[in-house]
Amino acid sequence: MGDCFMEEKEKKRYFNRELSWLEFNARVLSEALRRDNPLLERLNFLGIVSSNFGEFFQVRVASLKRESQVNPRHTDSSGLTAKEALEKISRRSHEIVSAQYKCLMDDILPALAGEGLVYVHPRTFSSAQKAYAEGFFRHEVFPLLTPLRTDLAEFPHVASMQLHAAFLLDKMPGVHRMETGLLPQSDTDLLALVPVPPGISRIVYLPGEDGNRYFTLLDDIVTLYGRELFPGYTVRESMVFKLARDADFAVDEEAGDQFIQAMKEVLIKRQSSFPVCLWANSGSKKLLSLMKEKLSLEDDDVYRVDGVIDPGSLMELAGNEEFARLSYPEWQHFYPAQLPEDGSYWNTIRQHDVLLNVPYESYDPVVKFIQDASVDGEVLAIKMTLYRTGSNSPIVQALKRASVNGKSVTVFVELKARFDEQRNISWAQELENAGVTVIYGMVNLKVHAKICLVIRKESDGIRRYVHLSTGNYNPKTARLYQDFSIFTCNPNLALDATYFFNVVSGYSIVQSMHTLAMAPVNLKHRLIELIEREISGSSPDNPGLIIAKMNSLCHDEIIEELYKASNAGVRVMLNIRGICTLIPGVKGMSENIEVSSVVGRYLEHSRVFYFKNGGSEELYLSSADWMVRNLDKRIELMFPVLDRDAFREVKEALLCYFEDNTHCHRLLKNGSWKAVTPAAGEQAVSVQDELQQKYARRDEARKSQPKVEFVVRRKH
């Protein structure tokens, strides 16, 4: 892996961003290839690869295609033109997709069959299965299908990322055809397209009598019986395909009161934008040739796969309880030991900050915090940001309830959260209908910060409670994404939270914040200050140390500062889940920098930054990765971990990521990633296993503590 990168890396200062992302997807694929992972989890990783590719092609590849047309000579920081990058992307993407489908068809599906969950291709249907599938098609599927002609002046619309079936038709000899103009009159190749209905399950279970569970796919049934859509014709060839279109659209930021309408227009444009690439499961040169011609695609844009298109939809199989043994054993999300399970949190948070590490700990306290605030008679106001909160969110319901209960509720909704726009528009309008003040982000900036401020009237005056997080306010993803968050009523943090909301809600100028750093105002500058401070305080006897964990690192200014730190003898330890354009281990540039990446059961999503500071250690959590879009083009927050216990816990967890030798890869200076494995006699360490066991032990200790009951004597 990694041979798609430029040669002579030692003479370069940055890896290419898109090629680095592809290597991240290869690391996801490596989890699917691991035979020690449960079968349905391996299938899930294959689905994640497909999902990742879908967004990558719709956004990043589409952008490069436009760049290659309008600015063909421009080179990025890695020295590649858009055309050169596209060629390397295509070559590496084809390698990954080929390995993905080999894993699916030659390994995972046969292994599932061995466990009694059997995929049946239509050509091997038994007579009973064929009869069932035919009846299912005629009664459940046929009424939903709409065959589309392609011989008209305009090629029919093919929706982005939706499965379609394509049929190459021949006229039946001797069949009388009415010359009504409704049927094709030419003798050329006749191509018809049929959208596969997205509203019904893609998994179709079939009858079987030997105790196994048999299934086929909806698209298999459509292609098998699709001939019934074309009376008077025979089907010469068929295939299933999925098209990715350009989705890299920007909304008109000056739309003012019409912003929501402008956002809806962007969603419509995505479905009719230019084609970027095609996945197809056919070896038919004729069908593929026709599709490439009609969609103006090149050979490099076509990913011909031998098997099931879009493995992600097969994860529906995991819902079958009969095969739960083929998924990960259930891990409990433990209730935080520092918070009372009954009653409110106000008194606890007044005494000390409370750290939450999800999904090892339950996300319920975040939901409860907002729900309690919505009904607490002493709460006067709630202010928070929402980026991706999911459907049927209990947080949205609590905010609506708070407004109905007479509290001042202000929510900053980011409609521009890509691919979640429609959902965000819907629940933002729900909030407005409930009387919530909804602010739709900021002009030209995405609000990506994660913060909630609750203002409460108490006996000693007004007190502000703050929740700050590295991850979204989404209870569903919080069961799968690793994130840190803190509940606090620290006066400095609370005051800065107030300043923050004043800035993003109106005309307030940015005031000097004591603890919070805000992008794009001063977060990048603060990071550079912290790195430079580490450089100035570093010596051979007491070298500096920077440890950082994040999703992506591709900001040239920050990378240059890290190179300076390395040359000054500062040790730099980076754990980057996804993109990393920094080149580690190069003498005279980055020899003191190491980069690792952990991909496992949970998605590593938290951003954690540690600075040794000559022994006066500082630790920060943030919503921002070290990317241009985060530090220069979004509203982000970085906040310090001030509580002593919380500091110790975050630091211990951070260091554990660099001890992982089972789900970790290390970035080499040639751009390849090498899997880390235990040395001879070394104990195997999985950071996610270690953290799960740690919180399990803590929960057990909490439950085993005797409950002390105080008996009060009263005078009779």
Side-chain angles (χ1 to χ4, degrees), residues 16-23 25 49-64 85-86 88-90 92-93 96 161 244-245 247-248 276-277 279 303 418-419 579:
N16 176 269
R17 182 189 193 280
E18 277 66 44
L19 296 177
S20 179
W21 181 91
L22 282 174
E23 295 311 311
N25 220 26
V49 170
S50 291
S51 176
N52 287 348
F53 264 132
E55 183 170 345
F56 177 69
F57 279 100
Q58 290 180 89
V59 179
R60 300 303 303 178
V61 174
S63 176
L64 282 172
L86 286 168
K88 291 176 179 290
I89 287 168
S90 176
R92 185 64 176 129
S93 296
I96 295 173
M161 304 307 290
R245 293 185 178 275
D248 190 30
V276 178
C277 76
W279 289 270
Y303 292 81
R418 199 187 307 271
F419 302 116
I579 300 166

Side-chain angles (χ1 to χ4, degrees), residues 42 72 80-81 133 140 176 204 233 236 239 297 349 354 372 390 406 408 422 460 481 535 579 602 624 639:
R42 295 176 64 194
L80 295 179
T81 65
E140 304 291 336
H176 177 71
V204 180
Y233 295 85
R236 190 196 321 169
M239 74 176 185
L297 294 171
I349 299 173
V354 176
D372 285 354
S408 173
Q422 186 60 60
D460 56 349
Y481 290 17
I535 293 172
I579 300 166
Y602 291 147
F639 51 98

Side-chain angles (χ1 to χ4, degrees), residues 665-681:
H665 288 73
R666 185 155 291 137
L667 178 60
L668 306 181
K669 62 183 178 182
N670 67 355
S672 65
W673 289 82
K674 180 180 179 181
V676 179
T677 57

Side-chain angles (χ1 to χ4, degrees), residues 459-471:
S459 59
D460 56 349
I462 297 295
R463 193 180 300 274
R464 290 169 286 199
Y465 296 83
V466 184
H467 178 258
L468 290 155
S469 179
T470 67

Side-chain angles (χ1 to χ4, degrees), residues 54-231:
E55 183 170 345
F56 177 69
F57 279 100
Q58 290 180 89
V59 179
R60 300 303 303 178
V61 174
S63 176
L64 282 172
K65 286 196 170 217
R66 285 198 306 275
E67 177 78 11
S68 69
Q69 296 297 318
V70 302
N71 201 359
R73 295 184 179 180
H74 175 263
T75 59
D76 62 18
S77 59
S78 72
L80 295 179
T81 65
K83 182 180 179 181
E84 290 169 338
L86 286 168
E87 290 172 352
K88 291 176 179 290
I89 287 168
S90 176
R91 183 163 66 248
R92 185 64 176 129
S93 296
H94 277 87
E95 291 173 358
I96 295 173
V97 170
S98 176
Q100 176 194 20
Y101 278 88
K102 179 176 176 59
C103 176
L104 175 66
M105 303 307 296
D106 296 349
D107 185 355
I108 292 180
L109 287 181
L112 285 174
E115 295 286 345
L117 189 56
V118 186
Y119 167 64
V120 187
H121 191 276
R123 61 175 171 263
T124 62
F125 280 176
S126 67
S127 57
Q129 291 168 343
K130 187 176 296 185
Y132 178 86
E134 186 171 354
F136 178 80
F137 174 81
R138 289 179 176 168
H139 297 293
E140 304 291 336
V141 181
F142 182 82
L144 301 176
L145 300 181
T146 304
L148 305 173
R149 291 174 57 176
T150 66
D151 65 324
L152 302 177
E154 292 187 5
F155 192 70
H157 173 64
V158 178
S160 184
M161 304 307 290
Q162 180 180 343
L163 288 175
H164 288 69
F167 297 90
L168 194 60
L169 306 177
D170 290 324
K171 294 180 295 183
M172 287 184 178
V175 176
H176 177 71
R177 298 170 59 237
M178 298 176 58
E179 303 296 328
T180 62
L182 297 177
L183 297 175
Q185 303 302 311
S186 69
D187 291 326
T188 59
D189 292 307
L190 303 177
L191 173 66
L193 306 181
V194 179
V196 177
I200 57 178
S201 171
R202 192 183 180 199
I203 303 295
V204 180
Y205 286 103
L206 300 170
E209 299 179 352
D210 57 1
N212 289 330
R213 197 77 164 100
Y214 294 93
F215 71 95
T216 193
L217 302 177
L218 177 62
D219 31 298
D220 288 333
I221 292 177
V222 170
T223 53
L224 177 63
Y225 297 106
R227 62 180 182 274
E228 297 189 16
L229 295 164
F230 312 105

Side-chain angles (χ1 to χ4, degrees), residues 276-344:
V276 178
C277 76
L278 180 80
W279 289 270
N281 71 344
S282 171
S284 165
K285 292 183 179 180
K286 174 58 70 175
L287 265 177
L288 288 175
S289 176
L290 287 171
M291 292 298 294
K292 285 190 296 183
E293 177 187 349
K294 299 294 186 181
L295 296 170
S296 301
L297 294 171
E298 303 294 331
D299 287 344
D300 284 351
D301 301 322
V302 176
Y303 292 81
R304 193 176 69 190
V305 300
D306 181 17
V308 177
I309 297 288
D310 188 12
S313 60
L314 298 184
M315 272 311 295
E316 188 180 332
L317 295 169
N320 191 323
E321 294 184 1
E322 181 183 351
F323 296 95
R325 69 184 187 280
L326 303 182
S327 297
Y328 286 130
E330 184 177 356
W331 275 3
Q332 185 176 346
H333 308 280
F334 302 105
Y335 204 85
Q338 297 186 73
L339 290 173
E341 293 193 49
D342 300 320
S344 66

Side-chain angles (χ1 to χ4, degrees), residues 501-655:
F501 282 112
N502 289 345
V503 168
V504 299
S505 64
Y507 293 105
S508 175
I509 62 172
V510 178
Q511 303 187 50
S512 177
M513 295 184 182
H514 298 284
T515 51
L516 298 181
M518 174 180 169
V521 180
N522 68 338
L523 203 164
K524 179 177 70 176
H525 179 69
R526 178 63 178 146
L527 286 171
I528 291 173
E529 280 185 338
L530 292 168
I531 297 171
E532 290 181 343
R533 185 186 66 185
E534 206 65 27
I535 293 172
S536 64
S538 182
S539 67
D541 294 335
N542 188 20
L545 176 62
I546 298 171
I547 309 175
K549 175 183 181 294
M550 65 196 81
N551 298 314
S552 295
L553 168 60
C554 55
H555 196 294
D556 291 357
E557 288 181 69
I558 300 294
I559 291 173
E560 288 299 324
E561 291 297 322
L562 294 174
Y563 287 159
K564 290 178 186 177
S566 174
N567 287 332
V570 176
R571 185 183 181 193
V572 181
M573 301 165 60
L574 303 173
N575 191 274
I576 315 293
R577 188 194 81 219
I579 300 166
C580 180
T581 58
L582 176 148
I583 305 175
V586 178
K587 188 174 182 179
M589 184 176 82
S590 59
E591 56 195 295
N592 291 314
I593 302 177
E594 61 180 271
V595 180
S596 59
S597 176
V598 170
V599 177
R601 172 173 179 161
Y602 291 147
L603 182 83
E604 294 297 337
H605 192 254
S606 62
R607 293 88 167 183
V608 187
F609 315 136
Y610 167 89
F611 299 89
K612 181 180 176 182
N613 190 26
S616 299
E617 303 168 301
E618 291 183 357
L619 192 59
Y620 298 86
L621 302 175
S622 181
S623 60
D625 290 311
W626 292 353
M627 305 176 72
V628 171
R629 72 182 187 191
N630 296 98
L631 301 182
D632 299 328
K633 299 179 180 179
R634 287 182 175 181
I635 302 293
E636 305 271 14
L637 286 174
M638 181 175 76
F639 51 98
V641 181
L642 301 175
D643 182 88
R644 183 181 302 174
D645 292 336
F647 188 105
R648 182 176 60 253
E649 187 156 338
V650 174
K651 182 183 175 183
E652 287 176 357
L654 178 61
L655 291 174

